[in-house]
Amino acid sequence: MHQKAAHDPTSARRPARERTGVWFVGARGSVATTATLGLAAIAAGLAEPVGCVTARPPFDGAPLPAFADLVVGGHDISDVSMVKRAELLVEAGMINARLLDATHAALERADAEVRPGYDPHLRAGSAGSSGSAGHPGAGPESQGRAAERLAADINSFRTRHDLARVVVVDLASTEPPAETAPEFEDLDLLQAALADPARTVLPPSSVVAYAAVLAGAPYAGFTPSASMHLPVLLELATQRGVPVAGQDGKTGQTWLRTVLAPAFEARGLRVLSWAGTNLLGGGDGATLADPQAVRSKLASKNRGLQDLTGTGVTPLHIDNVPDLGDIKVAWDHVHVEGFLGSRLTLQTTWSAYDSMLAAPLVLDLARLLALADAAGLGGPVPELGFFFKDPWGSDVHSAADQAAELARWVGHAADRAADRTPTETPHQS
Amino acid sequence: MHQKAAHDPTSARRPARERTGVWFVGARGSVATTATLGLAAIAAGLAEPVGCVTARPPFDGAPLPAFADLVVGGHDISDVSMVKRAELLVEAGMINARLLDATHAALERADAEVRPGYDPHLRAGSAGSSGSAGHPGAGPESQGRAAERLAADINSFRTRHDLARVVVVDLASTEPPAETAPEFEDLDLLQAALADPARTVLPPSSVVAYAAVLAGAPYAGFTPSASMHLPVLLELATQRGVPVAGQDGKTGQTWLRTVLAPAFEARGLRVLSWAGTNLLGGGDGATLADPQAVRSKLASKNRGLQDLTGTGVTPLHIDNVPDLGDIKVAWDHVHVEGFLGSRLTLQTTWSAYDSMLAAPLVLDLARLLALADAAGLGGPVPELGFFFKDPWGSDVHSAADQAAELARWVGHAADRAADRTPTETPHQS
Amino acid sequence: MHQKAAHDPTSARRPARERTGVWFVGARGSVATTATLGLAAIAAGLAEPVGCVTARPPFDGAPLPAFADLVVGGHDISDVSMVKRAELLVEAGMINARLLDATHAALERADAEVRPGYDPHLRAGSAGSSGSAGHPGAGPESQGRAAERLAADINSFRTRHDLARVVVVDLASTEPPAETAPEFEDLDLLQAALADPARTVLPPSSVVAYAAVLAGAPYAGFTPSASMHLPVLLELATQRGVPVAGQDGKTGQTWLRTVLAPAFEARGLRVLSWAGTNLLGGGDGATLADPQAVRSKLASKNRGLQDLTGTGVTPLHIDNVPDLGDIKVAWDHVHVEGFLGSRLTLQTTWSAYDSMLAAPLVLDLARLLALADAAGLGGPVPELGFFFKDPWGSDVHSAADQAAELARWVGHAADRAADRTPTETPHQS
Amino acid sequence: MHQKAAHDPTSARRPARERTGVWFVGARGSVATTATLGLAAIAAGLAEPVGCVTARPPFDGAPLPAFADLVVGGHDISDVSMVKRAELLVEAGMINARLLDATHAALERADAEVRPGYDPHLRAGSAGSSGSAGHPGAGPESQGRAAERLAADINSFRTRHDLARVVVVDLASTEPPAETAPEFEDLDLLQAALADPARTVLPPSSVVAYAAVLAGAPYAGFTPSASMHLPVLLELATQRGVPVAGQDGKTGQTWLRTVLAPAFEARGLRVLSWAGTNLLGGGDGATLADPQAVRSKLASKNRGLQDLTGTGVTPLHIDNVPDLGDIKVAWDHVHVEGFLGSRLTLQTTWSAYDSMLAAPLVLDLARLLALADAAGLGGPVPELGFFFKDPWGSDVHSAADQAAELARWVGHAADRAADRTPTETPHQS
């Protein structure tokens, strides 16, 4: 069985500091390409890990895999290579041309590790040239078979590169909100459905999440798509000792909101409304121009804010403005009641390359989930809530509280990992 | 001796929950008037204490004096009464006319407790009708005599109203930065200078601070003026067991900066520059239009920010825009380096009635310093740094860290106060 | 016939300077109440006509009715009186309490001139106490009968107050976009439909516009509702010599856009996208929270902008933020291409009481349409496009060009009016 | 005499469409380098003249020199070549690397036409390798001799390239405000002073302006430095038939203000205060960090605004923020009184590469001054006020009015030029 390796007790005991795989779902997108390019630049000493949470105290003393020990692979349904994607980002002014020159070879190496992703619109066998994609001319691939194929890709990557573990990070395009189904609550029902080629009970992101569990690979859900966030999958991850964290990376406007809202609360000031708008172009802008897809995003963006402020008046929009490219501009207007019924307003305008915000956090998650795995944790890791708009297993949304929680957790996880791996010397294969 | 009462051990043991005096230096200014009016409105159930830190968990369970148990008096060199000041604030649209109607009597009562402040430009005896101001026609009042006069006013207020203690809060206009002097370091030198009617060694705010120590009155320095922040005065406060806190209330833009800057730091993002500008009218705008006075303010506004971000590029301006009245508008532009040399910007625009921000914090300080006094603390209370741009005895500037520190401190102080006052029943006089 | 008086040739020759009626459709709403209160304050010398275009050169020399010669009446379907509305605006902080005291009587006088408006949901006879509303217990009122009733109200008002003319201004709530119909193009078809009590072919705003034409009353459409903007009505107004202007008052964000967009164009800079969002509360916020009603508004807001810039990327939102009351906050983000492919951005944040912007422009329109009428103009007056988002009879959107056009027009219209009214002495009735 | 050629009546009659020199004072700075590079790109069809006023109607039909017919030379006191400057701008992200590759040769050609500028701190002969800089080892160069040397450079450039005329554009660093002197009013006094090697009566920018007049070269003062703006020089330019225009290019924030302020005025709204701040890095940021130099700039930035709005409350700052490079960020806060004493605010945030705004306008000025010269105009051309913060010979500041004036002027000037040059065929040398 594919998941056998994951359950091999020796594997989980390999220390976090060892060579670790980072398996991007959506490996040829902007965020994964930027992260891969950045990893190469950092490893080569051409860039500092600015924007990485784990590159500074107290994390810099923790037993995390070094940036140079992260090896990239992934799934994607796109044929546009990482190098081509990076060239587009250079043209858009986001990435420095010389930095691409210096990391070109590393991007090509990573791209060679990209396997065809799960595409529910494709029949089995048409997914490309990968041998693992099924037999040419075969009938429809069941979701169960697809998940096994994806898990096999991850396991093969781990073995091929002798990696202590592989962390899967979902960076694929946002899906519309999933309808609920009885199969999401019951493993037997789910497995029956997965075996049936005629059924597509899981949203695509959840097929991938299931594959990660099968492969025993720690998993981060960086998008608002359902992915691992189905009761049956979270339970399975817990049972099999696979640490998972999500959901929907908290990179810009939402992060800012979870910085500010608790601060108003600590001042005893009462937020009356928090209105916002987002402008962005790029692929993300186009995806979110779809009114269905954007619903997932808007819901996860607002949940924490309403929780933190107690107000339900939080109108929010995401507009596709193609000329902005990967730049995200977000405006917020906060209307607050102060002393004696007085009113104050705070407006914020945030402007940043979205992928440049996400990429370092993705690397952080890979490092931290490697530690979680070495520490023997399984299921949702609530203390990784710092990274997410909608944290699994936690209702803490305050960025400051999350940062404090994360710092404490790393200490505990490091102790626990040390207990499980008597010597922190590199693993002998 | 004036300070005798302050040293009366029974006094210090009176519980914090008892009736407490709040003695405003600058009692007829906007902030003190707003705080007094607000106190009356809260006590009468006409307004909630929105904007008060201590009105919410965890502080609402602490043994602090009730809002209704705060009694207001103060010093001022102005003849414009609190009622008149409040009428101006109504005209300016800051205060609701009906609220003034409802609190008119309370303002008049408080104004009747206002005594002539220390004015270095006045000769003794010319300070007004107060009996404590010296003998008419006398020669110049020495700073020592002035301080004794001020302390006597405070003590008389305490006795007259049977208050457990009186907390002094400096809300007077900002002074230019004080030149340093040997007397600021040595009590003997200072006392010699204070006795000499020909010398004015202390800045006016420090004469008042000295008077607070003489009266054994807990003291908060809410302005950037030197006040208690001279080595000799802080030491004296410590020796005499007088708790003090300062300096320069952190109410708007600076508070926002100390919320945001640590958040960038926690993300591993690198602040390159943080430029800002402030527009305000009112008396404060006019005072700060003086290039000397504004130097104090700008220095204290920037100190924490430079500490938190590591950047020295923090240009900052304060402009007098009379038509804005008491509204303060602050714009900040934060330029940040992210992943791979990318840049992001955050702009914030803050608009609020400045006195409405300060007034509730001033009430918080009165309540918390009453607790500090009941707990037997003397000298700077670093855990009150939450309220200040330039906290005495602390180099913590992060608003979130300060909030956590404050919450912990209140618990400890409450325990300590309970130990010192065996029963929390009201004091029997 | 009701419209007889309007066609009385002597009427149209009465000079523009005479006493003039202003008939507000939606007379008890915020804008009409503010305009009425303001008119009283200006007439009494308590306020200057700040925000009125016609109070300054070159208009102050034109033969327009004096502010003190404007007499207010109107239609409304609401029972909340103008005084009550004004009290709400005082509470919301928009209007000064003392100003309401001083204008209370004038508001009551105006409110006594308010007649039941056209409400398609009411049966005839149930519209209130007005004698003109039909016979109690009668069957459904046909739209034709309704229009005659409304026209009779206007004529009666004119006669009762011996007014030279009455200008109708539609300030009622925004309707959803009207479906098109053959009756909108053909007067015979329309009149047949209007006579049939079972049919409601016209949107309510157009019934009112039709009534204005019947009454020979100059008409301004200050909302995006269809109103006069049906081919058949515009033609009828032209035939009957009734000057009309519209559509949708250009008061804030849209005005700003039509100031800025031509300026970019004059610089040879290329607007790539112009994204915006509006926050507002009040009744307007609630009305526009309806996704159908907001469609009319968004369409008219964007039309001019797309015309001026050539870009189709103009995402725009209107959010209902009840806590803002009548304050409208609008944020715009303009992304512009400059020299050699460089990019520049301009952001604007506009914050204003919406009714305070609209009210003076409404008074301007009443004065200018009185002049148009005295000048014998009929049908759309394109030179009044300055006041509208979607000007009838004009494709000029640039605010500067419109201002220049308006100034020229006033000169010509004054000449023409002078030719028609040999002496500018007050009319002898 | 150097100026002989300029007075050659045949010269002035050469049509504007002919090959024209553009002589940049400060040729190796950012603006001149960007303009030169852009000119090459436009001439080669690699870029459109976006941001050029004269590339669109009604100017595109006027008899202006084609972009491809502009030939660049100039003065500078810097040794950093235009290519090197362009490389710095590429590194800063302002200019596309490929565009520099494509224009490299053109930049080198232009740089070969750069001659040592006037540097009052240098003695004659030390100005570099140029043969025109004086004899090595000579004593101090009088300002008169310096001006002749500079004029000779311009004349030589014209002859060498057979140019119809050479337009001088001052783009050098801003000087502190000049003290006034009797020599600024009287040509005889001036010439005596200029002849004296011991005296430096003129600010450096005015030595250059004088040289332009000597060479009969049309002149634009794009900086706030005194330059041509001395009574004696303006008079001399008029006498000699040299068209001149200035002062201080209106490119960003000030342009925006002169767009907005007249629009408020047209609405009858009353500007109470207009506060602003500018952040910029680059060489300009460093220059303006000097409190003396910035005085010139702030004065010229505020003059028009105060004129347009009538308010004197216009606090303004320019901060040097090196990390912003050539990006200028400007924030404005406009506080406006509306109807019935209500207040509205408009905030604008402008962010742009400053040199990218200036460069196309500089090219426009070269083309338009060529036309002015062909039309036989001398002295200040007030209709070019569109381009300047502080227009010579005009008190029109409204950007819309200036645009209309400019359009009219071009028509008249074209007619006049046609009258003077019977055939618009290229000049026969």
Side-chain angles (χ1 to χ4, degrees):
Chain A
M1 269 170 64
H2 295 304
Q3 61 269 43
K4 185 106 198 288
H7 289 162
D8 172 4
T10 57
S11 163
R13 285 196 195 130
R14 288 177 67 175
R17 283 200 207 277
E18 276 192 79
R19 275 163 58 83
T20 299
V22 189
W23 189 265
F24 292 129
V25 183
R28 285 166 172 160
S30 293
V31 177
T33 300
T34 303
T36 305
L37 187 154
L39 208 47
I42 293 166
L46 300 172
E48 294 175 70
V50 177
C52 287
V53 170
T54 54
R56 43 176 293 282
F59 308 99
D60 52 358
L64 305 173
F67 288 106
D69 284 340
L70 298 180
V71 182
V72 174
H75 283 122
D76 207 315
I77 58 175
S78 163
D79 288 334
V80 177
S81 76
M82 294 175 100
V83 167
K84 181 65 195 163
R85 173 71 56 200
E87 283 166 356
L88 293 172
L89 296 173
V90 167
E91 264 173 52
M94 187 179 104
I95 285 179
N96 186 298
R98 276 179 253 175
L99 206 54
L100 174 52
D101 291 346
T103 55
H104 197 275
L107 282 175
E108 285 193 329
R109 270 197 306 277
D111 198 69
E113 299 291 346
V114 177
R115 297 290 172 271
Y118 172 64
D119 185 342
H121 305 301
L122 285 188
R123 306 193 128 249
S126 60
S129 57
S130 165
S132 64
H135 306 290
E141 186 183 29
S142 74
Q143 287 197 317
R145 287 294 300 275
E148 283 170 17
R149 169 175 67 81
L150 301 171
D153 290 339
I154 297 167
N155 282 326
S156 155
F157 176 63
R158 177 170 48 212
T159 308
R160 207 158 58 247
H161 291 279
D162 185 27
L163 304 168
R165 55 188 58 78
V166 176
V167 180
V168 173
V169 185
D170 180 13
L171 299 170
S173 295
T174 297
E175 298 168 354
E179 300 293 316
T180 193
E183 286 82 359
F184 295 177
E185 314 271 345
D186 183 311
L187 186 56
D188 290 337
L189 286 180
L190 178 64
Q191 286 178 329
L194 292 176
D196 181 351
R199 298 192 58 189
T200 56
V201 67
L202 287 180
S205 61
S206 297
V207 173
V208 177
Y210 181 58
V213 178
L214 292 183
Y219 175 92
F222 211 75
T223 79
S225 304
S227 70
M228 193 72 77
H229 197 223
L230 304 178
V232 68
L233 293 184
L234 289 175
E235 195 187 322
L236 197 64
T238 308
Q239 282 172 12
R240 300 207 177 181
V242 178
V244 302
Q247 175 169 17
D248 200 4
K250 187 163 83 168
T251 62
Q253 185 190 44
T254 304
W255 168 77
L256 186 60
R257 291 166 156 210
T258 62
V259 169
L260 291 169
F264 280 115
E265 216 268 325
R267 279 284 294 275
L269 297 164
R270 188 179 286 165
V271 172
L272 299 173
S273 61
W274 198 307
T277 206
N278 285 266
L279 316 177
L280 77 164
D284 220 18
T287 300
L288 296 173
D290 168 25
Q292 288 308 308
V294 80
R295 276 172 50 214
S296 307
K297 194 79 181 183
L298 292 175
S300 72
K301 280 177 84 82
N302 267 340
R303 215 166 287 138
L305 184 62
Q306 298 185 347
D307 211 61
L308 286 168
T309 61
T311 181
V313 187
T314 57
L316 182 63
H317 305 281
I318 300 180
D319 288 317
N320 181 28
V321 180
D323 46 282
L324 286 175
D326 193 74
I327 294 176
K328 162 96 75 68
V329 179
W331 177 73
D332 267 16
H333 181 278
V334 195
H335 193 212
V336 179
E337 181 183 338
F339 200 52
L340 301 180
S342 62
R343 301 297 163 93
L344 70 88
T345 57
L346 172 66
Q347 295 171 60
T348 60
T349 306
W350 170 267
S351 177
Y353 286 105
D354 221 30
S355 301
M356 284 294 189
L357 291 172
L361 299 179
V362 159
L363 299 180
D364 285 326
L365 279 168
R367 300 178 82 199
L368 292 165
L369 280 166
L371 174 59
D373 193 47
L377 299 171
V381 184
E383 295 89 350
L384 295 180
F386 179 84
F387 296 91
F388 299 106
K389 292 195 184 77
D390 219 1
W392 294 339
S394 169
D395 56 5
V396 179
H397 287 288
S398 156
D401 291 350
Q402 290 172 327
E405 243 183 32
L406 179 63
R408 281 193 298 272
W409 176 82
V410 164
H412 299 157
D415 291 346
R416 199 167 149 160
D419 289 349
R420 290 165 58 90
T421 55
T423 60
E424 265 282 337
T425 53
H427 172 82
Q428 311 298 323
S429 60
Chain B
M1 270 170 62
H2 295 302
Q3 61 271 43
K4 186 104 199 289
H7 289 163
D8 173 2
T10 56
S11 164
R13 284 197 198 128
R14 289 177 66 175
R17 283 198 207 276
E18 277 193 79
R19 275 163 59 84
T20 299
V22 189
W23 190 264
F24 292 129
V25 184
R28 287 165 171 161
S30 294
V31 177
T33 299
T34 304
T36 305
L37 188 153
L39 209 45
I42 293 166
L46 301 172
E48 293 174 71
V50 178
C52 286
V53 170
T54 54
R56 43 175 291 283
F59 307 100
D60 53 358
L64 306 173
F67 288 107
D69 283 340
L70 298 180
V71 182
V72 174
H75 282 123
D76 207 314
I77 59 175
S78 164
D79 288 334
V80 176
S81 75
M82 293 175 100
V83 167
K84 180 66 195 161
R85 173 71 56 200
E87 283 167 357
L88 294 170
L89 297 173
V90 167
E91 265 173 51
M94 187 179 103
I95 285 181
N96 186 298
R98 277 179 252 173
L99 207 54
L100 174 53
D101 292 345
T103 55
H104 198 275
L107 282 175
E108 284 192 330
R109 272 198 305 278
D111 199 69
E113 299 291 346
V114 177
R115 299 289 172 273
Y118 172 64
D119 185 342
H121 305 301
L122 285 187
R123 304 191 129 250
S126 60
S129 56
S130 165
S132 63
H135 306 290
E141 184 184 32
S142 74
Q143 288 197 316
R145 286 294 299 274
E148 284 169 15
R149 170 173 67 82
L150 301 173
D153 291 339
I154 297 167
N155 281 326
S156 156
F157 175 64
R158 178 170 48 212
T159 307
R160 206 157 57 247
H161 291 279
D162 185 27
L163 304 170
R165 55 189 57 80
V166 176
V167 180
V168 173
V169 185
D170 181 13
L171 299 171
S173 296
T174 297
E175 299 168 355
E179 299 293 316
T180 192
E183 287 81 358
F184 294 177
E185 313 272 344
D186 182 312
L187 187 58
D188 291 337
L189 285 180
L190 177 63
Q191 285 177 330
L194 290 176
D196 182 348
R199 299 192 57 188
T200 57
V201 67
L202 287 180
S205 61
S206 297
V207 173
V208 176
Y210 180 59
V213 178
L214 291 183
Y219 175 93
F222 210 75
T223 80
S225 304
S227 70
M228 193 71 78
H229 198 224
L230 304 178
V232 67
L233 293 184
L234 289 176
E235 195 188 323
L236 198 64
T238 308
Q239 281 173 14
R240 300 207 178 181
V242 178
V244 302
Q247 174 168 15
D248 200 5
K250 188 163 83 170
T251 61
Q253 185 190 45
T254 305
W255 167 76
L256 186 60
R257 290 165 157 211
T258 62
V259 169
L260 292 169
F264 281 115
E265 217 268 324
R267 279 284 295 273
L269 297 165
R270 188 179 285 165
V271 172
L272 300 173
S273 60
W274 198 306
T277 206
N278 286 266
L279 316 178
L280 79 164
D284 219 19
T287 300
L288 295 173
D290 168 26
Q292 287 309 306
V294 80
R295 278 172 49 214
S296 306
K297 193 79 182 182
L298 292 175
S300 72
K301 280 177 82 84
N302 266 339
R303 215 166 286 138
L305 183 63
Q306 298 185 347
D307 211 60
L308 286 169
T309 60
T311 180
V313 187
T314 57
L316 181 64
H317 306 283
I318 300 180
D319 289 317
N320 181 27
V321 179
D323 45 283
L324 286 175
D326 193 74
I327 295 175
K328 162 96 76 67
V329 180
W331 178 72
D332 267 17
H333 182 278
V334 195
H335 194 211
V336 178
E337 181 184 337
F339 199 52
L340 301 181
S342 63
R343 301 297 162 92
L344 70 89
T345 58
L346 171 65
Q347 296 172 59
T348 61
T349 305
W350 170 265
S351 178
Y353 286 105
D354 221 28
S355 300
M356 284 294 189
L357 291 173
L361 299 180
V362 159
L363 299 179
D364 285 326
L365 279 167
R367 300 179 82 199
L368 293 166
L369 280 166
L371 174 60
D373 193 46
L377 299 171
V381 184
E383 294 88 348
L384 296 179
F386 179 84
F387 295 91
F388 299 107
K389 292 193 183 78
D390 219 1
W392 294 339
S394 169
D395 55 6
V396 179
H397 286 288
S398 156
D401 291 350
Q402 290 172 327
E405 243 183 31
L406 179 63
R408 280 192 299 271
W409 176 83
V410 163
H412 298 156
D415 291 347
R416 198 167 151 163
D419 289 348
R420 289 166 58 91
T421 54
T423 60
E424 265 284 335
T425 53
H427 173 80
Q428 312 297 323
S429 60
Chain C
M1 268 172 62
H2 296 302
Q3 62 270 41
K4 185 112 198 287
H7 290 163
D8 173 6
T10 56
S11 162
R13 288 200 194 125
R14 289 177 66 175
R17 281 199 208 280
E18 276 194 80
R19 275 162 57 83
T20 300
V22 189
W23 189 265
F24 292 128
V25 182
R28 288 168 171 158
S30 294
V31 176
T33 299
T34 303
T36 304
L37 187 154
L39 208 45
I42 293 166
L46 300 172
E48 294 174 70
V50 178
C52 286
V53 170
T54 54
R56 42 176 293 282
F59 308 99
D60 51 359
L64 305 174
F67 288 107
D69 284 339
L70 297 180
V71 182
V72 174
H75 282 123
D76 207 315
I77 58 174
S78 164
D79 288 334
V80 177
S81 75
M82 293 175 101
V83 168
K84 181 63 195 162
R85 174 70 59 200
E87 283 167 358
L88 293 171
L89 296 173
V90 168
E91 264 172 52
M94 187 179 105
I95 286 180
N96 187 297
R98 275 179 255 175
L99 207 54
L100 174 53
D101 292 346
T103 55
H104 197 275
L107 282 175
E108 284 192 330
R109 271 196 307 279
D111 199 68
E113 299 291 347
V114 177
R115 297 291 172 270
Y118 172 62
D119 185 344
H121 305 301
L122 285 187
R123 306 190 128 250
S126 60
S129 55
S130 165
S132 65
H135 307 290
E141 185 182 30
S142 74
Q143 287 196 319
R145 287 294 301 274
E148 285 168 16
R149 169 174 67 82
L150 300 172
D153 291 338
I154 297 167
N155 283 325
S156 155
F157 175 64
R158 177 171 48 212
T159 309
R160 207 158 58 245
H161 291 278
D162 184 28
L163 305 169
R165 56 188 57 79
V166 177
V167 180
V168 173
V169 185
D170 180 13
L171 299 170
S173 296
T174 297
E175 298 168 354
E179 299 293 315
T180 192
E183 286 82 358
F184 295 176
E185 314 271 343
D186 183 311
L187 187 57
D188 291 337
L189 285 181
L190 178 64
Q191 286 177 330
L194 290 176
D196 180 350
R199 297 192 61 188
T200 56
V201 69
L202 288 180
S205 61
S206 297
V207 172
V208 177
Y210 180 60
V213 178
L214 291 183
Y219 175 92
F222 210 75
T223 79
S225 303
S227 69
M228 193 71 77
H229 197 223
L230 304 178
V232 69
L233 294 184
L234 290 175
E235 195 188 324
L236 197 64
T238 307
Q239 283 173 12
R240 302 209 177 178
V242 178
V244 301
Q247 172 168 18
D248 200 4
K250 188 164 82 167
T251 61
Q253 185 190 43
T254 305
W255 167 76
L256 186 61
R257 290 166 158 210
T258 62
V259 169
L260 292 168
F264 280 114
E265 216 267 326
R267 278 283 295 276
L269 297 165
R270 187 178 288 163
V271 172
L272 300 173
S273 60
W274 199 307
T277 206
N278 286 266
L279 315 178
L280 78 163
D284 220 19
T287 300
L288 296 172
D290 168 25
Q292 287 309 305
V294 80
R295 277 172 50 213
S296 307
K297 192 82 182 182
L298 292 175
S300 72
K301 281 178 83 82
N302 267 341
R303 215 166 286 137
L305 183 64
Q306 297 184 349
D307 211 60
L308 287 168
T309 61
T311 180
V313 187
T314 57
L316 181 64
H317 306 282
I318 300 180
D319 289 317
N320 181 28
V321 179
D323 46 281
L324 286 174
D326 193 74
I327 295 175
K328 162 95 76 69
V329 179
W331 177 73
D332 267 16
H333 181 277
V334 195
H335 193 211
V336 178
E337 182 183 337
F339 199 52
L340 300 181
S342 63
R343 301 298 163 92
L344 70 86
T345 58
L346 171 65
Q347 295 171 60
T348 61
T349 306
W350 170 267
S351 176
Y353 285 104
D354 221 29
S355 301
M356 285 292 189
L357 291 173
L361 298 180
V362 159
L363 299 179
D364 286 327
L365 279 168
R367 300 180 81 199
L368 293 165
L369 280 167
L371 173 60
D373 193 48
L377 299 171
V381 185
E383 296 89 349
L384 296 179
F386 179 83
F387 295 91
F388 299 107
K389 293 194 183 75
D390 219 1
W392 294 339
S394 169
D395 56 5
V396 179
H397 287 288
S398 156
D401 291 350
Q402 290 171 327
E405 244 184 30
L406 179 63
R408 281 193 299 272
W409 175 83
V410 163
H412 299 156
D415 291 347
R416 198 166 153 164
D419 290 348
R420 290 166 57 92
T421 56
T423 59
E424 266 284 334
T425 53
H427 172 81
Q428 310 298 322
S429 61
Chain D
M1 267 171 64
H2 296 302
Q3 61 270 42
K4 186 108 199 286
H7 289 163
D8 174 3
T10 56
S11 163
R13 285 197 196 126
R14 289 178 64 176
R17 284 199 206 277
E18 276 194 80
R19 274 164 56 85
T20 299
V22 190
W23 189 264
F24 292 129
V25 183
R28 287 166 171 160
S30 294
V31 177
T33 299
T34 303
T36 305
L37 187 153
L39 209 45
I42 293 165
L46 301 171
E48 294 174 71
V50 178
C52 285
V53 170
T54 54
R56 42 177 291 284
F59 308 99
D60 52 359
L64 305 174
F67 289 107
D69 283 340
L70 298 180
V71 182
V72 175
H75 282 124
D76 207 315
I77 59 175
S78 163
D79 288 336
V80 177
S81 75
M82 293 175 101
V83 167
K84 180 66 195 161
R85 173 71 57 199
E87 283 167 357
L88 293 171
L89 296 174
V90 168
E91 264 172 51
M94 186 179 104
I95 286 179
N96 186 297
R98 275 178 253 176
L99 206 54
L100 174 52
D101 291 346
T103 56
H104 197 275
L107 282 175
E108 284 193 330
R109 271 197 306 279
D111 199 68
E113 298 292 347
V114 178
R115 297 290 174 269
Y118 172 63
D119 184 343
H121 305 300
L122 285 187
R123 307 189 128 250
S126 60
S129 57
S130 165
S132 63
H135 306 290
E141 184 183 31
S142 74
Q143 288 196 318
R145 287 293 300 275
E148 285 169 15
R149 168 173 67 82
L150 301 172
D153 290 338
I154 296 167
N155 282 325
S156 156
F157 175 65
R158 177 171 47 212
T159 309
R160 207 159 56 247
H161 291 278
D162 184 28
L163 304 169
R165 55 189 57 80
V166 177
V167 181
V168 173
V169 186
D170 180 13
L171 299 171
S173 296
T174 297
E175 298 168 354
E179 299 293 317
T180 192
E183 287 82 358
F184 294 177
E185 313 271 344
D186 183 312
L187 187 57
D188 291 336
L189 285 180
L190 178 63
Q191 286 177 331
L194 290 176
D196 181 350
R199 297 191 60 188
T200 56
V201 68
L202 287 180
S205 62
S206 297
V207 173
V208 177
Y210 180 60
V213 178
L214 292 183
Y219 176 92
F222 210 75
T223 80
S225 304
S227 70
M228 193 71 77
H229 197 222
L230 305 178
V232 69
L233 294 184
L234 289 176
E235 196 188 321
L236 197 65
T238 308
Q239 283 173 12
R240 301 209 178 179
V242 177
V244 301
Q247 174 168 16
D248 199 5
K250 187 163 82 168
T251 60
Q253 185 190 44
T254 304
W255 167 76
L256 186 61
R257 290 166 157 210
T258 62
V259 168
L260 291 169
F264 281 114
E265 217 267 326
R267 278 284 294 275
L269 298 165
R270 188 178 286 164
V271 172
L272 301 173
S273 60
W274 199 306
T277 206
N278 286 266
L279 315 178
L280 78 164
D284 220 18
T287 300
L288 295 173
D290 168 26
Q292 288 309 306
V294 81
R295 277 174 47 215
S296 308
K297 193 80 182 183
L298 291 176
S300 72
K301 281 177 82 83
N302 268 339
R303 215 167 285 138
L305 183 63
Q306 298 184 348
D307 213 60
L308 287 168
T309 61
T311 180
V313 187
T314 58
L316 182 63
H317 306 281
I318 301 180
D319 289 316
N320 181 28
V321 179
D323 45 282
L324 286 174
D326 193 73
I327 295 175
K328 163 95 76 67
V329 180
W331 177 74
D332 267 17
H333 181 279
V334 195
H335 193 210
V336 178
E337 181 183 337
F339 199 52
L340 301 182
S342 64
R343 302 296 162 91
L344 70 87
T345 58
L346 171 65
Q347 296 172 59
T348 60
T349 305
W350 170 267
S351 177
Y353 285 104
D354 221 30
S355 301
M356 284 293 189
L357 292 173
L361 299 180
V362 159
L363 300 179
D364 285 325
L365 279 168
R367 302 178 81 199
L368 292 166
L369 281 166
L371 173 60
D373 194 47
L377 299 171
V381 184
E383 296 88 350
L384 296 180
F386 179 82
F387 296 92
F388 299 107
K389 293 194 183 76
D390 219 1
W392 294 338
S394 168
D395 55 6
V396 179
H397 287 287
S398 157
D401 291 350
Q402 290 172 328
E405 244 183 31
L406 180 62
R408 282 192 298 271
W409 175 83
V410 163
H412 299 157
D415 291 347
R416 200 168 151 163
D419 289 349
R420 291 166 56 90
T421 55
T423 60
E424 266 282 337
T425 53
H427 172 81
Q428 311 298 324
S429 59

